Amino acid sequence: MELIGEYDEIEIPPVKPYVVRHRRFACRCAHCGAGVKAPAPAVATQTPFGPRIHALAIYCKGFQALSYERLRFMFRDAFGLIVSEGALMNMFIRSHAGFKIEADKANAILRQAKVVASDETGVRIEGTNSYHWVFHCKDAVVHQPDYSRAARVVAETMNGHTPNVWIRILLRAAKAWRRTSNLFGASGARHGLCAGAWIDDLPLRFKLWFGKAFDLARDIASFAASTIASKKRELESNSPPFLPQRQNATSHASCRPKSGGRKISF
């Protein structure tokens, strides 16, 4: 035989949760009447959800940015697993200890770095306007959510460490930290100010943000000017021929008031 083609048929197998049911019994001795209970399994005092479910929930929440409601629907629709939003929140709380170990390592590296870059952006935390801070050095990245944009967040994150170079954009919090002498000490360490992310890109941002508005305003002004000029020409062409012109007037009409007064000429 001669092979004349190969074709793949791909399908995902049905995924169902693997459930182990632990049953606990109690009995009573027929001779002495003493009661005996079986020991409770470890799962009786722990969460029924295994580490793979925890990992998948953390991945979908942290990397795919699923809300609690959508995450609950995903487990229900994809796996046939009913998980409440409270159970999902408890999964994330139980994972704090493991993440804290790595977070402490990143903070320790950051607080020894000679060059540090930082920035922040607005986020929503528990329904309030908050900020997501990012501190970056050669070997670590530290993410710090906080309700404030003040220099306090920088001071708490750096914990008194003074890098030789600090790269940041021109922000009020950055300037406030630059002026805080107790953070920099008396050594007078050098600090770089990187404003390029804002200043160099300013014309481009104006073009992106206001370019269409400027073009629209220019078009409106041009249309209005042409309309006014057209109306003016139309009025001049349709003006009655009997309208008097002051310089060419050869006769005057007069009007005398009914009850006295002087004669008015025009």
Side-chain angles (χ1 to χ4, degrees), residues 31-190:
H31 299 281
C32 66
V36 179
K37 297 181 180 179
V43 71
T45 58
Q46 300 175 1
T47 173
F49 302 109
R52 291 189 182 91
I53 297 178
H54 280 69
L56 182 59
I58 294 171
Y59 168 77
C60 291
K61 182 65 175 177
F63 289 89
Q64 302 301 332
L66 293 182
S67 65
Y68 282 97
E69 183 179 16
R70 291 188 175 185
L71 186 56
R72 179 169 60 88
F73 290 159
M74 187 274 294
F75 275 108
R76 184 197 66 183
D77 299 337
F79 305 103
L81 182 62
I82 304 301
V83 183
S84 66
E85 295 184 13
L88 292 172
M89 182 178 295
N90 289 332
M91 292 183 191
F92 303 141
I93 294 175
R94 281 190 289 268
S95 68
H96 286 178
F99 281 105
K100 187 177 185 303
I101 297 175
E102 300 301 322
D104 292 341
K105 292 180 181 178
N107 280 319
I109 296 174
L110 178 71
R111 292 165 183 170
Q112 296 177 358
K114 296 181 179 180
V115 179
V116 174
S118 66
D119 195 9
E120 82 284 342
T121 187
V123 294
R124 297 282 290 177
I125 299 179
E126 297 182 353
T128 61
N129 292 330
S130 306
Y131 298 92
H132 182 181
W133 289 78
V134 179
F135 298 85
H136 182 270
C137 65
K138 180 182 178 181
D139 300 316
V141 178
V142 175
H143 297 263
Q144 181 63 43
D146 201 284
Y147 294 101
S148 175
R149 198 184 188 183
R152 169 190 61 79
V153 182
V154 182
E156 293 176 355
T157 304
M158 300 305 295
N159 195 27
H161 172 62
T162 304
N164 293 338
V165 178
W166 182 37
I167 305 172
R168 66 214 189 261
I169 61 175
L170 286 171
L171 291 177
R172 182 171 58 185
K175 294 179 181 179
W177 191 47
R178 180 68 176 86
R179 293 192 301 266
T180 307
S181 59
N182 60 343
L183 294 178
F184 293 87
S187 60
R190 296 182 298 107

Side-chain angles (χ1 to χ4, degrees), residues 201-212 214:
D201 199 34
L202 188 60
L204 177 59
R205 293 192 179 188
F206 269 107
K207 182 178 180 181
L208 293 177
W209 293 346
F210 303 111
K212 292 186 177 180
F214 288 158

